Amino acid sequence: MIVTLTANPSADRAVVLSEALQPGEVQRASSSREDAGGKGVNVARVVSAAGAPARAVVPVGQHDPYRVLLEDTGIALDLVEVAGRARANLTITDPSGETTKLNLPGAELSAAEASALTAGVVAAAEGATWLVLAGSLPPGVPATFYADLIEAVRSRWGAAAPRIAVDASGEALAAVVATARPDLIKPNHEELAELVGEDAEADVDVLAEAARRATALVPERAASALVTLGADGALLFTAEGAWRGRAPKIQVRSTVGAGDSSLAGYLLADLDGASAPDRLARSIAYGAAAATLPGTQAPTPADLPAEPIAVSDFATPIATS
Ligand SMILES: Nc1ncnc2c1ncn2[C@@H]1O[C@H](COP(=O)(O)OP(=O)(O)OP(=O)(O)O)[C@@H](O)[C@H]1O
Ligand SMILES: [Mg+2]
């Protein structure tokens, strides 16, 4: 069982325009759709679509329309009652493919709601193989929320506690790495740089910089790191070694949620008992599959690229093309 937490959920509305976006004007959209968003929800959707057991823990209000969107996903849910409404994230795409995103702030969680959410996650984690803490924290909770939650889960379940994966950024991720030694982190290149107090902007050799930063953290501060690099594929660092996998050449439709699918692919491979290079390959295949699908549509095993993903030991990198 893979249990995910989405602490700051969003209703993702995708609006398609038949002409260029004109600020200040009234425009008609040619189509629009709304999906239950949030990184933990995305991971649970991909895991469920592959036929593996998953549950999503989500704070949601009783009359929040987001609740209906969540129920429409068909994934198993552990809902924690809160007063506020889930935020909306708006994506506007024009005919040229230009995309404008407006991400709204989430509703504030009270201290009592944050405690209820922690209790809900601790209970849901019973018997799970992995617990995935993914996405931003809602306003009102401290930056140490994930770090404290990891502590609570481990002290409740001891040796039977699930392994814990964190896909977050900024202060929430920094706090986790500072005190909680997660089993897996899944930063992208920029998030990893920020985590070690650097700026990725000036990087010339992305692979070498990512490797230097990750090996400063693994295995002491995080047992392993899956570092995704968009079209450049991904790197995996564990106590046993480091691997690099290349992304397949694909027709990109939407990279929104590609990282969430990467993490789901990694966990699915781990549930199958796959080796480190095979876990990395599955994560890249799932990330690439997500990027070929519109919006945040969850890839299924049928959507995976047909060609095998090339993975090499990072000590002997495969030739770059
Ligand atoms: N342009 C692309 N071509 C091929 N594969 C891609 C491309 N973009 C993303 N991918 C695949 O998706 C994976 C994750 O992408 P990326 O590193 O952009 O994640 P991310 O920044 O965490 O995204 P998000 O947080 O929005 O889900 C990559 O490792 C790769 O396998
Ligand atoms: Mg990401």
Side-chain angles (χ1 to χ4, degrees):
M1 170 70 73
I2 291 174
V3 173
T4 72
L5 168 64
T6 303
N8 194 19
S10 63
D12 288 344
R13 179 168 293 274
V15 174
V16 177
L17 298 179
S18 49
E19 53 187 17
L21 179 67
Q22 291 158 24
E25 297 299 317
V26 174
Q27 290 181 267
R28 268 178 218 289
S30 57
S31 71
S32 129
R33 62 172 291 155
E34 200 169 27
D35 291 292
K39 288 183 177 298
V41 171
N42 291 344
V43 170
R45 277 163 57 209
V46 177
V47 171
S48 302
R55 297 188 75 77
V57 182
V58 192
V60 67
Q62 203 178 354
H63 301 294
D64 188 341
Y66 178 75
R67 197 181 185 109
V68 178
L69 296 175
L70 259 185
E71 283 162 358
D72 282 349
T73 63
I75 59 176
L77 299 167
D78 278 314
L79 302 181
V80 175
E81 196 76 36
V82 293
R85 283 200 173 193
R87 67 204 166 119
N89 283 342
L90 184 63
T91 304
I92 302 164
T93 308
D94 77 8
S96 74
E98 175 134 78
T99 297
T100 306
K101 293 197 70 171
L102 295 174
N103 286 357
L104 279 62
E108 193 159 319
L109 275 199
S110 68
E113 289 170 338
S115 301
L117 189 58
T118 296
V121 173
V122 170
E126 180 176 12
T129 311
W130 281 96
L131 170 63
V132 178
L133 309 178
S136 58
L137 294 174
V141 309
T144 55
F145 182 77
Y146 284 150
D148 298 342
L149 178 55
I150 293 172
E151 170 86 39
V153 168
R154 289 181 177 155
S155 68
R156 174 66 183 86
W157 301 115
R163 280 176 288 157
I164 297 174
V166 180
D167 181 0
S169 58
E171 284 179 52
L173 179 59
V176 163
V177 164
T179 63
R181 194 175 183 269
D183 298 280
L184 176 69
I185 54 174
K186 198 233 68 71
N188 61 26
H189 188 63
E190 291 73 28
E191 290 161 348
L192 177 62
E194 190 188 4
L195 184 56
V196 296
E198 296 180 10
D199 185 353
E201 200 103 316
D203 287 351
V204 177
D205 186 341
V206 166
L207 293 181
E209 296 293 355
R212 180 179 57 75
R213 291 169 185 144
T215 47
L217 298 167
V218 175
E220 290 80 15
R221 313 230 60 98
S224 59
L226 172 62
V227 183
T228 58
L229 306 169
D232 288 330
L235 302 168
L236 176 62
F237 301 86
T238 77
E240 283 73 48
W243 295 267
R244 189 238 166 149
R246 299 167 66 83
K249 296 255 181 312
I250 52 162
Q251 176 107 45
V252 175
R253 276 223 191 75
S254 162
T255 59
V256 183
D260 310 338
S261 289
S262 298
L263 177 55
Y266 181 93
L267 300 174
L268 284 166
D270 184 75
L271 289 186
D272 290 344
S275 66
D278 288 349
R279 297 196 299 272
L280 178 59
R282 191 97 67 99
S283 107
I284 291 171
Y286 266 90
T292 62
L293 296 170
T296 52
Q297 197 178 318
T300 70
D303 298 313
L304 299 184
E307 63 185 282
I309 305 296
V311 171
S312 64
D313 205 305
F314 199 49
T316 53
I318 41 186
T320 46
S321 60

